[in-house]
Amino acid sequence: MASLTHRPRRLRRHPASRDMMRETFLSPAHLIYPMFVVEDEARRIPVASMPGVDQVSIDEAVKDAKRAYELGLGGVILFGIPDHKDPAGHDAYDPNGVVQRAIRAIKAEVPELYLIADLCLCEFTDHGHCGIVHPVDTVDNDATLKLLGRIAVTYAQAGIDMVAPSGMMDGMVEAIRHALDSAEHESIPIMAYSVKYASAFYGPFRDAADNAPSFGDRRAYQMDPANRQEALRELELDLEQGADVVMVKPGLPYLDIIRDVRERTHLPVAAYNVSGEYAMIKAAVHNGWLEEERTVLEMLTSFRRAGANMILTYHALDAAQWLRAAGNG
């Protein structure tokens, strides 16, 4: 047999050469851990469809925040679950609401941790939709924008580092930016859920956040999974309105969209490794079909390879431990 001139395997033979040639790097600093915060004290309520994920009271959230900081995570993102819900989601913009109190408690104990708050009404409304419903069964986009601005200001007053509007309301970034700037919070950045699809992969999240719609669905304001050009249109609108970070959600079925977004902007890009993606891996690991550490790290690396600067993932705490054990923390 004639000798081969090109042998790519030469550079794969030794661990040192594989490390030197690695093109994409993953570290705990790239990971953001979502937390679901509830009322009362000393509460950890397991989410059945998301093994390893709990709803936590504020005191327990502080403990998890300390752990996230010690592991070197890029930050955490808070989702609030109030005891009281109503059509207008009043607890969302109450200065003493569950998220606002969680922000103050975490900042008092772990001031260096980067703290993000999801900004939406769906966890706070009794109908489970992402805005004010008016007229019947219709989300009023413009009435909702005013409330999103109020929520953002209360989060900023509590000490948040970044707000993350997720409701896919038209004009939400501009409205929130105006509200923050008018309240002299110009330094608070906005991470917009710019490209958020109406996905089947959100099912377990609705258990965790207690925000399943009581009627209809969210396809009137979240994107059709079949659309690609629309994603770029949504991206451009949020860029024009002053987003500081843009997000693609979900992550794994939309790696092509993450790459499209990365190629269209120099802003940081986030990917949300959503609940359904998490639950599938957990189920496969439980059944002995997949090796958890290798599978999770390969998946998270794929988000980075596609162009994500940061990854919101329920695997964050475990992944950070694995990365540090491997010398990548």
Side-chain angles (χ1 to χ4, degrees):
M1 178 178 178
S3 64
L4 293 172
T5 302
H6 302 289
R7 292 183 181 270
R9 288 178 56 187
R10 293 178 184 131
L11 296 178
R12 301 175 193 151
R13 292 179 60 247
H14 196 283
S17 63
R18 290 197 297 269
D19 288 345
M20 285 188 288
M21 304 305 159
R22 183 161 294 132
E23 300 172 19
T24 304
F25 293 91
L26 177 69
S27 79
H30 295 123
L31 308 178
I32 297 169
Y33 183 56
M35 297 200 302
F36 301 97
V37 185
V38 296
E39 301 282 1
D40 298 328
E41 295 182 358
R43 293 181 72 190
R44 280 192 175 271
I45 307 168
V47 179
S49 55
M50 299 178 68
V53 173
D54 299 328
Q55 296 176 340
V56 294
S57 54
I58 292 174
D59 55 322
E60 294 295 319
V62 170
K63 295 176 184 177
D64 288 352
K66 288 180 178 178
R67 185 180 174 208
Y69 179 70
E70 291 166 356
L71 286 169
L73 293 189
V76 302
I77 183 167
L78 301 178
F79 296 85
I81 306 168
D83 282 345
H84 171 73
K85 301 190 179 194
D86 58 53
H90 282 91
D91 197 80
Y93 43 92
D94 181 345
N96 290 310
V98 64
V99 174
Q100 291 83 347
R101 285 184 283 118
I103 293 168
R104 291 193 291 267
I106 292 171
K107 278 298 178 182
E109 296 293 328
V110 202
E112 301 89 352
L113 177 67
Y114 199 77
L115 196 56
I116 307 166
D118 180 82
L119 205 170
C120 193
L121 285 164
C122 60
E123 295 106 39
F124 300 91
T125 56
D126 55 8
H127 48 72
H129 278 282
C130 298
I132 300 299
V133 174
H134 177 77
V136 177
D137 293 358
T138 301
V139 175
D140 187 327
N141 188 96
D142 294 358
T144 300
L145 295 182
K146 297 176 183 178
L147 295 186
L148 295 180
R150 289 181 63 182
I151 299 168
V153 170
T154 64
Y155 288 173
Q157 290 169 339
I160 203 65
D161 294 305
M162 176 186 279
V163 295
S166 61
M168 289 296 284
M169 296 294 112
D170 293 340
M172 65 182 184
V173 173
E174 182 176 16
I176 293 165
R177 183 75 275 155
H178 176 73
L180 288 170
D181 291 356
S182 297
E184 300 184 349
H185 293 293
E186 300 92 343
S187 63
I188 301 297
I190 297 172
M191 177 168 65
Y193 288 61
S194 300
V195 182
K196 183 177 179 180
Y197 287 90
S199 174
F201 286 86
Y202 301 152
F205 177 91
R206 292 171 184 171
D207 295 336
D210 188 24
N211 70 339
S214 61
F215 64 87
D217 54 43
R218 299 190 176 115
R219 285 183 287 184
Y221 43 97
Q222 294 177 359
M223 286 179 48
D224 185 338
N227 292 355
R228 184 174 189 174
Q229 295 301 317
E230 185 185 13
L232 301 179
R233 173 63 172 156
E234 289 280 4
L235 169 69
E236 293 298 334
L237 289 171
D238 282 359
L239 296 178
E240 292 171 6
Q241 292 171 38
D244 299 285
V245 180
V246 292
M247 186 194 299
V248 177
K249 180 181 181 181
L252 197 58
Y254 298 91
L255 292 174
D256 59 326
I257 306 300
I258 296 172
R259 171 50 59 183
D260 287 345
V261 170
R262 172 73 286 156
E263 292 177 349
R264 290 296 185 98
T265 180
H266 296 295
L267 289 183
V269 176
Y272 204 134
N273 175 211
V274 300
S275 60
E277 299 164 28
Y278 174 89
M280 287 192 303
I281 288 179
K282 285 291 186 179
V285 169
H286 176 75
N287 283 290
W289 298 335
L290 290 175
E291 179 186 339
E292 185 169 15
E293 178 177 340
R294 287 189 63 192
T295 303
V296 170
L297 294 181
E298 181 178 339
M299 176 182 62
L300 297 179
T301 299
S302 77
F303 298 136
R304 292 278 294 134
R305 190 183 64 245
N309 301 92
M310 57 191 75
I311 306 162
L312 287 71
T313 177
Y314 306 98
H315 295 288
L317 298 177
D318 288 336
Q321 290 181 307
W322 297 328
L323 290 166
R324 294 186 75 173
N328 296 320

